Short mmCIF file of all heavy atoms in Angstrom, two decimals:
data_model
loop_
_atom_site.label_atom_id
_atom_site.label_comp_id
_atom_site.label_asym_id
_atom_site.label_seq_id
_atom_site.Cartn_x
_atom_site.Cartn_y
_atom_site.Cartn_z
N ALA A 1 15.28 -27.39 6.73
CA ALA A 1 14.61 -28.39 7.57
C ALA A 1 13.60 -29.20 6.77
O ALA A 1 13.52 -30.44 6.95
CB ALA A 1 13.93 -27.70 8.75
N VAL A 2 12.80 -28.56 5.91
CA VAL A 2 11.82 -29.34 5.13
C VAL A 2 12.52 -30.16 4.05
O VAL A 2 12.06 -31.25 3.71
CB VAL A 2 10.70 -28.46 4.54
CG1 VAL A 2 9.87 -27.83 5.63
CG2 VAL A 2 11.22 -27.43 3.57
N LEU A 3 13.64 -29.66 3.53
CA LEU A 3 14.40 -30.45 2.56
C LEU A 3 14.98 -31.69 3.24
O LEU A 3 14.96 -32.79 2.68
CB LEU A 3 15.52 -29.62 1.94
CG LEU A 3 15.09 -28.40 1.12
CD1 LEU A 3 16.32 -27.67 0.57
CD2 LEU A 3 14.16 -28.79 -0.02
N LYS A 4 15.48 -31.52 4.45
CA LYS A 4 16.02 -32.66 5.19
C LYS A 4 14.93 -33.68 5.50
O LYS A 4 15.18 -34.89 5.53
CB LYS A 4 16.67 -32.16 6.48
CG LYS A 4 17.38 -33.24 7.28
CD LYS A 4 18.08 -32.67 8.50
CE LYS A 4 18.80 -33.76 9.29
NZ LYS A 4 19.48 -33.19 10.49
N ALA A 5 13.70 -33.20 5.70
CA ALA A 5 12.59 -34.11 6.00
C ALA A 5 12.10 -34.85 4.76
O ALA A 5 11.31 -35.78 4.88
CB ALA A 5 11.43 -33.33 6.61
N GLY A 6 12.55 -34.42 3.57
CA GLY A 6 12.19 -35.16 2.36
C GLY A 6 11.66 -34.35 1.21
O GLY A 6 11.46 -34.89 0.11
N ALA A 7 11.40 -33.06 1.40
CA ALA A 7 10.92 -32.23 0.29
C ALA A 7 12.04 -32.00 -0.71
O ALA A 7 13.22 -31.99 -0.35
CB ALA A 7 10.39 -30.90 0.81
N ASP A 8 11.67 -31.82 -1.96
CA ASP A 8 12.63 -31.48 -3.02
C ASP A 8 12.67 -29.99 -3.29
O ASP A 8 13.68 -29.46 -3.75
CB ASP A 8 12.25 -32.22 -4.32
CG ASP A 8 12.24 -33.71 -4.13
OD1 ASP A 8 13.32 -34.32 -4.21
OD2 ASP A 8 11.15 -34.27 -3.90
N LYS A 9 11.54 -29.32 -3.01
CA LYS A 9 11.43 -27.88 -3.25
C LYS A 9 10.65 -27.26 -2.09
O LYS A 9 9.90 -27.95 -1.40
CB LYS A 9 10.71 -27.60 -4.58
CG LYS A 9 11.48 -28.08 -5.80
CD LYS A 9 10.73 -27.81 -7.10
CE LYS A 9 9.67 -28.85 -7.37
NZ LYS A 9 9.07 -28.72 -8.73
N ALA A 10 10.83 -25.94 -1.93
CA ALA A 10 10.15 -25.23 -0.85
C ALA A 10 9.39 -24.05 -1.42
O ALA A 10 9.91 -23.31 -2.26
CB ALA A 10 11.16 -24.74 0.19
N ALA A 11 8.14 -23.88 -0.97
CA ALA A 11 7.31 -22.76 -1.41
C ALA A 11 7.29 -21.69 -0.33
O ALA A 11 7.05 -22.00 0.84
CB ALA A 11 5.89 -23.23 -1.72
N VAL A 12 7.55 -20.45 -0.72
CA VAL A 12 7.54 -19.33 0.22
C VAL A 12 6.59 -18.26 -0.29
O VAL A 12 6.48 -18.04 -1.49
CB VAL A 12 8.96 -18.75 0.43
CG1 VAL A 12 9.84 -19.74 1.17
CG2 VAL A 12 9.59 -18.33 -0.89
N ASN A 13 5.93 -17.59 0.65
CA ASN A 13 5.01 -16.51 0.28
C ASN A 13 5.17 -15.35 1.25
O ASN A 13 5.82 -14.35 0.96
CB ASN A 13 3.57 -17.00 0.25
CG ASN A 13 2.59 -15.91 -0.11
OD1 ASN A 13 2.97 -14.87 -0.64
ND2 ASN A 13 1.32 -16.10 0.18
N THR A 14 4.61 -15.48 2.45
CA THR A 14 4.56 -14.37 3.40
C THR A 14 5.94 -13.79 3.68
O THR A 14 6.15 -12.57 3.59
CB THR A 14 3.92 -14.84 4.72
OG1 THR A 14 2.61 -15.35 4.45
CG2 THR A 14 3.82 -13.68 5.71
N ALA A 15 6.90 -14.64 4.04
CA ALA A 15 8.23 -14.15 4.40
C ALA A 15 8.92 -13.48 3.22
O ALA A 15 9.67 -12.51 3.39
CB ALA A 15 9.07 -15.29 4.94
N ALA A 16 8.67 -14.00 2.01
CA ALA A 16 9.30 -13.40 0.82
C ALA A 16 8.69 -12.04 0.50
O ALA A 16 9.40 -11.12 0.08
CB ALA A 16 9.15 -14.34 -0.37
N LEU A 17 7.38 -11.89 0.70
CA LEU A 17 6.75 -10.59 0.49
C LEU A 17 7.30 -9.56 1.48
O LEU A 17 7.51 -8.39 1.14
CB LEU A 17 5.23 -10.70 0.64
CG LEU A 17 4.47 -11.29 -0.55
CD1 LEU A 17 3.05 -11.64 -0.14
CD2 LEU A 17 4.45 -10.31 -1.72
N ARG A 18 7.53 -10.00 2.70
CA ARG A 18 8.04 -9.08 3.72
C ARG A 18 9.51 -8.76 3.51
O ARG A 18 9.97 -7.65 3.79
CB ARG A 18 7.83 -9.69 5.11
CG ARG A 18 6.37 -9.77 5.53
CD ARG A 18 6.21 -10.51 6.84
NE ARG A 18 4.82 -10.49 7.29
CZ ARG A 18 4.36 -11.24 8.29
NH1 ARG A 18 5.17 -12.09 8.92
NH2 ARG A 18 3.09 -11.17 8.66
N ARG A 19 10.26 -9.75 3.00
CA ARG A 19 11.70 -9.55 2.81
C ARG A 19 12.12 -10.30 1.55
O ARG A 19 12.54 -11.45 1.60
CB ARG A 19 12.47 -10.06 4.03
CG ARG A 19 13.92 -9.62 4.07
CD ARG A 19 14.57 -9.97 5.40
NE ARG A 19 14.69 -11.40 5.58
CZ ARG A 19 15.72 -12.13 5.10
NH1 ARG A 19 16.67 -11.57 4.40
NH2 ARG A 19 15.75 -13.43 5.33
N PRO A 20 11.99 -9.66 0.38
CA PRO A 20 12.25 -10.34 -0.89
C PRO A 20 13.64 -10.96 -1.00
O PRO A 20 13.81 -11.95 -1.72
CB PRO A 20 12.05 -9.23 -1.92
CG PRO A 20 11.08 -8.29 -1.27
CD PRO A 20 11.45 -8.30 0.18
N GLN A 21 14.62 -10.42 -0.29
CA GLN A 21 15.97 -10.97 -0.36
C GLN A 21 16.02 -12.43 0.08
O GLN A 21 16.95 -13.17 -0.26
CB GLN A 21 16.92 -10.13 0.50
CG GLN A 21 18.39 -10.49 0.38
CD GLN A 21 18.94 -10.32 -1.03
OE1 GLN A 21 18.41 -9.52 -1.80
NE2 GLN A 21 19.98 -11.07 -1.37
N LEU A 22 15.00 -12.88 0.81
CA LEU A 22 14.95 -14.29 1.22
C LEU A 22 15.01 -15.22 0.02
O LEU A 22 15.61 -16.30 0.10
CB LEU A 22 13.67 -14.54 2.02
CG LEU A 22 13.40 -15.99 2.43
CD1 LEU A 22 14.48 -16.52 3.35
CD2 LEU A 22 12.02 -16.12 3.08
N ILE A 23 14.39 -14.82 -1.07
CA ILE A 23 14.40 -15.66 -2.28
C ILE A 23 15.83 -15.92 -2.73
O ILE A 23 16.22 -17.05 -3.02
CB ILE A 23 13.59 -14.98 -3.41
CG1 ILE A 23 12.13 -14.81 -2.98
CG2 ILE A 23 13.69 -15.79 -4.70
CD1 ILE A 23 11.32 -13.92 -3.92
N THR A 24 16.64 -14.87 -2.76
CA THR A 24 18.03 -15.00 -3.17
C THR A 24 18.82 -15.85 -2.18
O THR A 24 19.66 -16.67 -2.57
CB THR A 24 18.67 -13.62 -3.31
OG1 THR A 24 17.91 -12.84 -4.23
CG2 THR A 24 20.10 -13.72 -3.81
N GLU A 25 18.55 -15.67 -0.90
CA GLU A 25 19.27 -16.43 0.12
C GLU A 25 19.00 -17.93 -0.02
O GLU A 25 19.92 -18.75 0.09
CB GLU A 25 18.86 -15.94 1.51
CG GLU A 25 19.33 -14.53 1.82
CD GLU A 25 18.72 -13.97 3.09
OE1 GLU A 25 17.96 -14.71 3.77
OE2 GLU A 25 18.98 -12.80 3.41
N ILE A 26 17.75 -18.28 -0.28
CA ILE A 26 17.42 -19.71 -0.46
C ILE A 26 18.06 -20.25 -1.74
O ILE A 26 18.61 -21.35 -1.76
CB ILE A 26 15.90 -19.91 -0.49
CG1 ILE A 26 15.27 -19.46 0.83
CG2 ILE A 26 15.56 -21.38 -0.76
CD1 ILE A 26 13.75 -19.40 0.78
N ALA A 27 17.99 -19.46 -2.81
CA ALA A 27 18.56 -19.89 -4.08
C ALA A 27 20.06 -20.11 -3.96
O ALA A 27 20.62 -21.07 -4.52
CB ALA A 27 18.25 -18.87 -5.16
N ARG A 28 20.74 -19.23 -3.24
CA ARG A 28 22.19 -19.38 -3.07
C ARG A 28 22.53 -20.59 -2.21
O ARG A 28 23.54 -21.27 -2.43
CB ARG A 28 22.77 -18.11 -2.44
CG ARG A 28 22.85 -16.94 -3.40
CD ARG A 28 23.33 -15.68 -2.71
NE ARG A 28 23.47 -14.57 -3.66
CZ ARG A 28 23.67 -13.31 -3.31
NH1 ARG A 28 23.74 -12.98 -2.01
NH2 ARG A 28 23.78 -12.37 -4.22
#
C-alpha cells in the first residue's frame, strides 16, 4: 500500500521483531 502511494522502500520495526519472517515475505 505505501509503495503504491509512492514510496520506494518500506521501513519495518515492531512487526518484524514480533515475527521476523515478515522480512523475508516482503523481500520475496
Side-chain angles (χ1 to χ4, degrees):
V2 296
L3 297 180
K4 186 176 180 180
D8 301 277
K9 295 179 279 188
V12 292
N13 180 17
T14 303
L17 282 167
R18 291 174 175 168
R19 193 171 67 85
Q21 187 61 25
L22 175 63
I23 299 169
T24 304
E25 292 170 3
I26 299 169
R28 286 176 177 169

